[in-house]
Amino acid sequence: MRALIVEDDGKVAGALKVGLTAEGYEAVVSRTGEDGYFRATTEPFDVIVLDLGLPGRDGLEILSGLRSRGLTVPVLVLTARDTVEDRVSGLDHGADDYLVKPFAFAELLARLRSLLRRGRSEQSLRMVLTDLELDPIARVAQRAGITIDLTAREFDLLAYLLRYQGQVVSREMLARDVWKEPSRGTPLDNVIDVHVTRLRRKIDADAPQKLIHTLRGVGFTLKAGAS
Ligand code: CA
């Protein structure tokens, strides 16, 4: 069982990881909402433990983002306050269950077991834009039904652009989230541009409709239609 723990509190996150690992889970920790959302949309998980109070993108935003993308992975929400309001808004946003901090680890395990028992509904992480389809689990990208041969980096880059489809993706975002090198001496701009050019050649060259657009001085956007 693969569990994603999205929790900014290092102590809680660490304890959950140790505890779940001891129970046979493969536990992955995300310390920010951004990273949690990225992992949840690009990697397969059987269950997600989601803290609501996160810096940046908060738990409820992540939850509604996942659900609006059609992701059905069970989500157990951790809340700091036990108010009816919090509970209702968590469940409204698509949480499957919730647990109020502080909680006993045995209780968390029981809740997770119950969520997992409810059965894994058809989990689809497929990302789609017109005839471009990407399966992050199988790591397969297709355009018009034809599989495109991508390097690991090109695949991650495309998954990121798809996740932010219709929005502007800056080189800083790509350096931080895809290359995971937010601050290095020489900017990654040239490296990023080379990869985008290669990716564009593979995705768009033979297609009548171009999807990857460059916004001069700003970054890139993936969308159908003219930029
Ligand atoms: Ca927190």
Side-chain angles (χ1 to χ4, degrees), residues 49-224:
V49 179
L50 177 65
D51 180 36
L52 285 192
L54 295 166
R57 194 189 281 239
D58 78 11
L60 288 182
E61 264 180 270
I62 294 176
L63 195 49
S64 32
L66 297 180
R67 295 312 187 217
S68 71
R69 296 191 76 124
L71 297 188
T72 55
V73 54
V75 175
L76 173 66
V77 155
L78 304 180
T79 73
R81 297 167 303 157
D82 183 19
T83 67
V84 174
E85 231 171 46
D86 279 7
R87 228 177 294 171
V88 168
S89 79
L91 296 173
D92 271 357
H93 282 74
D96 297 276
D97 203 354
Y98 67 92
L99 208 50
V100 178
K101 292 183 186 176
F103 51 83
F105 185 68
E107 177 68 13
L108 177 104
L109 281 180
R111 301 292 182 95
L112 291 184
R113 270 197 300 271
S114 135
L115 285 182
L116 292 166
R117 251 201 317 270
R118 277 186 220 169
R120 303 175 59 180
S121 34
E122 195 63 16
Q123 273 191 49
S124 173
L125 284 167
R126 291 183 89 76
M127 300 162 135
V128 177
L129 176 63
T130 68
D131 60 351
L132 174 67
E133 273 189 58
L134 186 141
D135 181 338
I137 297 175
R139 289 185 76 84
V140 171
Q142 294 191 322
R143 180 100 202 242
I146 296 163
T147 299
I148 305 157
D149 187 22
L150 298 177
T151 64
R153 184 75 84 187
E154 288 164 355
F155 187 91
D156 292 341
L157 175 59
L158 182 60
Y160 193 82
L161 291 170
L162 259 169
R163 172 183 156 215
Y164 285 104
Q165 59 180 266
Q167 300 175 46
V168 176
V169 172
S170 67
R171 292 179 177 83
E172 292 73 36
M173 289 165 74
L174 293 173
R176 184 189 64 212
D177 297 332
V178 177
W179 270 263
K180 313 272 188 211
E181 293 186 50
S183 52
R184 60 170 220 177
T186 36
L188 281 166
D189 291 10
N190 289 337
V191 176
I192 289 172
D193 287 356
V194 166
H195 278 82
V196 171
T197 302
R198 274 192 216 138
L199 183 61
R200 179 182 278 131
R201 208 176 294 144
K202 293 182 179 182
I203 299 293
D204 279 342
D206 299 328
Q209 189 179 31
K210 309 303 175 202
L211 299 178
I212 301 176
H213 306 271
T214 300
L215 305 167
R216 212 162 284 284
V218 185
F220 311 95
T221 185
L222 187 77
K223 64 175 182 179

